[in-house]
Amino acid sequence: MNKYASVTVEINHTDLDRTFQYEIPDELQGEIRTGSSVLIPFGKGNRLIHGYVVDFTDIPEIDPSKIKKIYSIKTDNLSVEAQLMHLAGWMREYYGCTMIQALKTVMPVKESVRPMVEKTIRLLLSAEELEEKIAFCEKKHQVAKLRLLLALKEDREIPQRIALDRLSITAATVKSMVTSGWIAVDEARKMRTPLSIREEGRYGVHLNEEQTAAVKRFVEDFSTGKRGTYLLHGITGSGKTEVYMEIIEKVITAGKQVIILIPEIALTYQTVMRFYRRFGDVVALVNSKMSKGERFDQFSRAERGEASIMIGPRSALFTPFSNLGLIIIDEEHEHAYKSENVPRYHAREVAIVRAELAGASVVLGSATPSISDYYRAKQGEYTLLTLNRRAVENSRLPEVEVIDLREELQNGNKQIFSRRLTELIEDRLEKKEQIMLFLNRRGYSGFISCRSCGKSIKCDHCDVSMTMHRDGKMRCHYCGSEKYIPKICPSCGSRYIAGFGTGTEKVEQLVQNAFPQAGVLRMDMDTTSKKGSHEAILSAFSQHEADILVGTQMIVKGHDFPKVTLVGVLAADLSLFAQDYTAASTTFNLLTQAAGRAGRGDCPGNVIIQTYNPEEYPIVCAAAQDYPEFYRNEILYRKMLHYPPFYKMLTIQYMSEDEGLIEHRIQELALIAKRIVEANRWQVEILGPTDGSISKVKDVYRKVIYFKSNNGKHLETLKKQLEEAVSIEHTIQIRYDWNED
Ligand code: ADP
Ligand code: ZN
Ligand code: ZN
């Protein structure tokens, strides 16, 4: 029990270092935590003011007799600010970071920006003129203008922010189109209410039986004041988004606010506009490319009550809504919901804590839920809502065929396309339909190896294989360093060096050679590193500027291309070999999502999964589009090998340029942990220490130690005690990770 608390009275994180020490009265010991909102006597007159606890200590900063006592602690009816403070306090303790780091994540930066006027772009052209201009831009290849015109063809008015941001249109393009008299930009904001939009009859989807049942279940709970976590499991194209929108409508009609998390990569113009069309101006948007000022601006709109729906990636979770009613997490299985920076929080966990503080509910949605969440739903901890059918009439699930690549080879086919896939590609090209070819590259890269000694060429700074590029160079995808491909093997001197496996770039080339008549687009890390290029490729493909889109997992997320009737997965197995207990579910998710891209329009789709392991259950189940069956297999494996959800798992990683030092220190950590566990007779398995799965990145070595326990509390306490017991050189970076999937 610490004697003193450091209290901040200013929630502006440039001022966070200016804290004041207060004594914790005995009766409040045990109740007070980081983030607690407290009343404190302040200044000469001892005026009672509000403050937040950010730290604890036993060391007085001034004469102890001069330290005042905390007056009281507030626990009910917390303001948004207090809620976010509590959340930061929880994150500090659970994820193991400093309070400052937690607060910086949770609190928006207050910057003096002029509030942005919400402008609207309005089309001035008649339908006929519009077609003319579209043809003109097509001919002149003015793609940005074309993108905006096509969007305006759908909606005659578009919020400028959404157009600039999600369509990657520059202010200059808008200006030039204004000058040409094609569009006008209205500064005055029109509050378009959801009601008026519905009266215009623009929203005409009638929910089907399954969707209605899901909505009903949520709404009944919500209106009787029951709050909780829901898992909406719906196959791809089953109409989950429509369910969200119906639920949102109910929540905002009740005067509450909603946060919708969508992974950045699926946060396309189409997705955002779907919400905008239904709810109008009350929709606000944040994304990771925004400047701090822009983001603060959007958060301010939320705080002032101008927006009641916030859409965005992970960080939207911290929108300062004062009357939050619901948090939706779409594609909840996505890895992007886990933060790569300290605090290494998972949006799902934080959402549930924030919802509890705010008296809100959480809806998690996915076609391939995380195993742990589905388990919790099965156990009754979450409410399970299910959509088993595709929403659009006549849209059937695609027909999936698994092709055994070993057989192809036996039959003399050395190409990367099986005979069946080639046949279907030719068929679709003839019918002028579109094709997506997906290369599973997770945990794999088109690496270069020696055929004589079998060694692959690694980056000098990282423990990863270099990737081959067309220009005779190879590149490290971790640190970006480049080198020419050597003529002889650095290990044995052999001249037989070759690129192994196939990168997207190579596939693009092979596709072009095999089908010279086809237009091919490629989407991967290399082609999307420039701002806006991601949107540009997607929009080009959706306008049928190309017949075939080749890409990595980027192309399988949430996009809806009605003309795609064939999806080919070139090598399904690569992610199966990742050294991680989630390898099977990662593979199943990728394949299921990829298959879900086919046949979204009127034509039924085909999916070809090429693999060397056709009997592995992630592949069999993905081909059958059978999540429950996959779950039955996977949950047994998790149970048998003591993985989540049965065991809670913590990874502690040490990183330093000094390999000897971290080796030494992590051994110490292991010893201390063992002693604590034995002294308390806890059920905790300790694995390692060992090298990280990638043992070196940018010349920084990584060592890890894993802890598993079927008693989560033991593990959480162990982590806290380790944090206190271990003090190490500042040249070592420590990372705590809860493994939750
Ligand atoms: P998901 O989010 O589950 O992939 P969406 O909500 O995007 O599915 O729906 C897929 C498609 O089906 C969309 O084009 C959507 O407009 C349409 N849709 C959804 N529900 C219905 C419905 N009840 N009636 C007709 N079309 C629907
Ligand atoms: Zn060699
Ligand atoms: Zn490197």
Side-chain angles (χ1 to χ4, degrees), residues 450 452-454 489 491-494:
C450 169
S452 304
C453 72
C489 169
S491 305
C492 74
S494 155

Side-chain angles (χ1 to χ4, degrees), residues 203-209 211 232 234-245 274 330-331 367 387 389-393 395 558 560 597 600:
Y203 214 87
V205 170
H206 289 279
L207 297 190
N208 64 32
E209 226 168 272
Q211 289 170 313
L232 176 61
I235 61 166
T236 53
S238 58
K240 291 184 287 298
T241 312
E242 298 298 334
V243 171
Y244 301 150
M245 291 203 282
R274 270 177 88 178
D330 190 29
E331 310 279 355
L387 306 177
R389 278 190 302 277
R390 280 206 162 175
V392 177
E393 254 174 86
S395 156
D560 208 345
R597 297 306 111 211
R600 290 215 142 200

Side-chain angles (χ1 to χ4, degrees), residues 378-626:
K378 284 263 177 196
Q379 297 292 107
E381 197 179 321
Y382 300 166
T383 304
L384 184 62
L385 310 171
T386 313
L387 306 177
N388 285 317
R389 278 190 302 277
R390 280 206 162 175
V392 177
E393 254 174 86
N394 303 325
S395 156
R396 271 164 297 133
L397 278 175
E399 191 181 310
V400 185
E401 292 165 68
V402 177
I403 306 288
D404 188 341
L405 286 176
R406 295 168 306 190
E407 261 172 42
E408 287 291 313
L409 200 64
Q410 274 164 20
N411 289 317
N413 178 11
K414 295 204 184 77
Q415 310 297 315
I416 62 164
F417 311 113
S418 59
R419 288 155 303 169
R420 176 72 178 142
L421 182 57
T422 309
E423 181 187 308
L424 285 172
I425 292 176
E426 276 164 358
D427 174 70
R428 298 304 136 96
L429 288 175
E430 205 159 287
K431 288 185 184 147
K432 302 257 176 287
E433 292 169 1
Q434 287 182 299
I435 300 152
M436 284 169 100
L437 294 177
F438 166 62
L439 191 65
N440 182 357
R441 284 177 51 129
R442 190 158 270 162
Y444 155 88
S445 43
F447 56 90
I448 298 155
S449 66
C450 169
R451 287 192 195 171
S452 304
C453 72
K455 293 219 169 86
S456 71
I457 299 183
K458 292 194 168 182
C459 172
D460 295 335
H461 313 284
C462 311
D463 173 44
V464 293
S465 301
M466 300 287 271
T467 309
M468 191 156 73
H469 278 261
R470 196 162 23 186
D471 50 11
K473 284 187 191 154
M474 50 189 193
R475 188 185 300 160
C476 168
H477 270 286
Y478 272 81
C479 71
S481 72
E482 269 189 355
K483 267 168 98 173
Y484 279 99
I485 298 172
K487 295 265 181 303
I488 59 167
C489 169
S491 305
C492 74
S494 155
R495 287 190 296 119
Y496 294 97
I497 287 188
F500 233 84
T502 324
T504 34
E505 205 175 339
K506 186 73 191 293
V507 172
E508 182 190 14
Q509 214 181 345
L510 290 171
V511 172
Q512 201 65 83
N513 295 347
F515 311 99
Q517 73 275 34
V520 185
L521 275 171
R522 168 165 65 102
M523 188 151 120
D524 58 17
M525 293 254 280
D526 291 333
T527 60
T528 54
S529 52
K530 233 178 58 211
K531 189 181 168 186
S533 43
H534 182 235
E535 292 82 3
I537 295 171
L538 290 176
S539 97
F541 189 61
S542 76
Q543 284 153 40
H544 209 152
E545 280 174 39
D547 308 293
I548 303 179
L549 178 63
V550 175
T552 53
Q553 46 265 23
M554 262 179 216
I555 68 174
V556 309
K557 309 286 173 178
H559 313 302
D560 208 345
F561 301 112
K563 275 195 187 157
V564 172
T565 55
L566 173 62
V567 170
V569 179
L570 296 177
D573 346 53
L574 292 161
S575 59
L576 277 179
F577 307 127
Q579 292 164 350
D580 181 348
Y581 73 92
T582 59
S585 55
T586 302
T587 304
F588 175 82
N589 293 355
L590 283 171
L591 295 180
T592 308
Q593 305 276 350
R597 297 306 111 211
R600 290 215 142 200
D602 304 329
C603 328
N606 283 78
V607 177
I608 299 292
I609 296 178
Q610 304 191 145
T611 173
Y612 291 96
N613 299 278
E615 65 292 324
E616 293 280 349
Y617 70 87
I619 291 175
V620 175
C621 297
Q625 303 267 295
D626 191 346

Side-chain angles (χ1 to χ4, degrees), residues 297-401:
D297 210 54
Q298 293 305 309
F299 275 12
S300 301
R301 286 184 66 206
E303 205 164 18
R304 288 195 301 265
E306 288 170 23
S308 45
I309 299 172
M310 179 64 81
I311 305 180
R314 211 169 54 217
S315 61
L317 205 48
F318 306 110
T319 308
F321 279 135
S322 58
N323 201 3
L324 184 67
L326 171 65
I327 302 174
I328 293 173
I329 306 188
D330 190 29
E331 310 279 355
E332 64 92 34
H333 61 278
E334 270 294 316
H335 296 294
Y337 285 126
K338 168 99 189 257
S339 172
E340 287 298 318
N341 305 315
V342 178
R344 296 172 59 81
Y345 70 93
H346 198 297
R348 258 182 284 152
E349 296 163 347
V350 177
I352 290 172
V353 176
R354 171 141 199 221
E356 262 167 28
L357 287 168
S361 285
V362 175
V363 171
L364 309 170
S366 176
T368 53
S370 97
I371 294 295
S372 296
D373 285 333
Y374 199 74
Y375 176 76
R376 288 186 197 110
K378 284 263 177 196
Q379 297 292 107
E381 197 179 321
Y382 300 166
T383 304
L384 184 62
L385 310 171
T386 313
L387 306 177
N388 285 317
R389 278 190 302 277
R390 280 206 162 175
V392 177
E393 254 174 86
N394 303 325
S395 156
R396 271 164 297 133
L397 278 175
E399 191 181 310
V400 185
E401 292 165 68

Side-chain angles (χ1 to χ4, degrees), residues 193-203 249 277-278:
T193 62
L195 215 70
S196 71
I197 287 180
R198 248 180 318 159
E199 274 167 6
E200 283 167 34
R202 294 178 67 180
Y203 214 87
E249 170 109 37
R277 269 177 217 137
R278 173 129 181 198

